[in-house]
Amino acid sequence: MAYGLQQWRRSASRGQWQGRSGAPQIGILSDSLVARGEQLAAVSMVCVNAIGLVAGAVPRILPAAPEADIDAYLDGLDGLFVGGGQTNVHPSRYGQTVDEKRDGPFDEFRDEVALRLIPRALARGIPALFICRGFQELNVAFGGTLAKEPDDLPEDERHGTPDADNEDARYRLRQKVGLRKGGVLQQICGADSILVNSLHSFLIADLAPGLVAEAVADDGSIEAVSVEGASDFALGTLFHPDYWASSDHASARILSAFGDAVRRHARAQGAA
């Protein structure tokens, strides 16, 4: 089944994207994959529709091509969305040895582009939202490390993808996280804790300098961060607010706050 297909169908039936001619542009970093021997760039329709339906912007796909001109990618963007994927960041990117069977699959084309794209986008003050793999890339880009959770944890204790027979069940909201008092995410969601979906088996080991923990699970795992000193919206979540952005309150607030920041940035650029 395609990633998020059920939620995409549900969202698509609720109306067209809010973005129209002149709407802000949000870049979405693609994955790279091989199908029938051909290298392809792929983006989840869940991400695309969250940007169009909830954030109210026009999605612009940024292919994970190692030869990409990063500044050219960012020119004209009002926001950057670095979402989840079917692969993990290669451990060599954060100084660890790799176990192909345990740690894979990988997408080193995406690693190459993401780790150059993220710091440059933030340096340019572009509002940015990082989800799941995108959060992991943000942490690695700033000098942090990741660690895979044990494979033998009971399902109700693990962060990795739960057993399920459909996408909605896989992405079900099942884990409570506490939000930092007075923090960015608490202000966005208007709550001290929220229920999130948990599909990530790679967790934060060392939080990178310059990142501030905004949400923490009961076991102490960091679930969301903000970028300290960022000139605009810069939030990362290990969970997936994009999947339930059209129906879950906290998820919608996160995507809407991102969309608001993107529109402010677009107006400021237009006035410059």
Side-chain angles (χ1 to χ4, degrees), residues 243-267:
Y243 193 86
W244 297 111
S246 62
S247 58
D248 172 61
H249 176 75
S251 299
R253 291 287 292 266
I254 292 169
L255 267 294
S256 295
F258 177 46
D260 291 343
V262 167
R263 283 183 286 277
R264 287 195 304 268
H265 185 270
R267 287 193 297 269

Side-chain angles (χ1 to χ4, degrees), residues 143-176:
T145 64
L146 309 173
K148 193 172 189 297
E149 69 176 357
D151 293 326
D152 58 354
L153 288 176
E155 182 169 303
D156 61 352
E157 295 180 18
R158 73 172 189 252
H159 295 266
T161 305
D163 294 330
D165 59 6
N166 62 68
E167 292 294 273
D168 283 359
R170 287 179 65 232
Y171 282 85
R172 67 184 181 269
L173 301 172
R174 65 187 182 95
Q175 176 177 276
K176 182 180 177 182

Side-chain angles (χ1 to χ4, degrees), residues 106-264:
F106 304 114
D107 181 347
E108 295 193 69
F109 281 7
R110 173 163 164 167
D111 291 345
E112 177 65 25
V113 176
L115 297 182
R116 290 188 290 130
L117 182 72
I118 291 169
R120 188 66 189 136
L122 294 174
R124 290 175 61 159
I126 297 173
L129 178 59
F130 308 94
I131 290 178
C132 199
R133 192 191 206 276
F135 173 96
Q136 296 163 353
E137 290 162 331
L138 171 66
N139 191 55
V140 171
F142 272 61
T145 64
L146 309 173
K148 193 172 189 297
E149 69 176 357
D151 293 326
D152 58 354
L153 288 176
E155 182 169 303
D156 61 352
E157 295 180 18
R158 73 172 189 252
H159 295 266
T161 305
D163 294 330
D165 59 6
N166 62 68
E167 292 294 273
D168 283 359
R170 287 179 65 232
Y171 282 85
R172 67 184 181 269
L173 301 172
R174 65 187 182 95
Q175 176 177 276
K176 182 180 177 182
V177 298
L179 308 185
R180 180 171 70 91
K181 186 176 181 180
V184 173
L185 196 52
Q186 187 194 51
Q187 293 180 46
I188 289 172
C189 296
D192 295 328
S193 64
I194 57 176
L195 199 64
V196 302
N197 41 21
S198 182
L199 292 89
H200 44 274
S201 59
F202 271 86
L203 308 175
I204 302 302
D206 298 308
L207 185 64
L211 300 185
V212 178
E214 295 286 347
V216 179
D218 289 343
D219 64 1
S221 299
I222 296 173
E223 287 285 328
V225 299
S226 59
V227 178
E228 189 174 22
S231 60
D232 212 317
F233 187 103
L235 183 71
T237 70
L238 270 178
F239 53 92
H240 278 266
D242 50 337
Y243 193 86
W244 297 111
S246 62
S247 58
D248 172 61
H249 176 75
S251 299
R253 291 287 292 266
I254 292 169
L255 267 294
S256 295
F258 177 46
D260 291 343
V262 167
R263 283 183 286 277
R264 287 195 304 268

Side-chain angles (χ1 to χ4, degrees), residues 3 46 115 136 269:
Y3 179 90
V46 168
L115 297 182
Q136 296 163 353
Q269 294 300 106

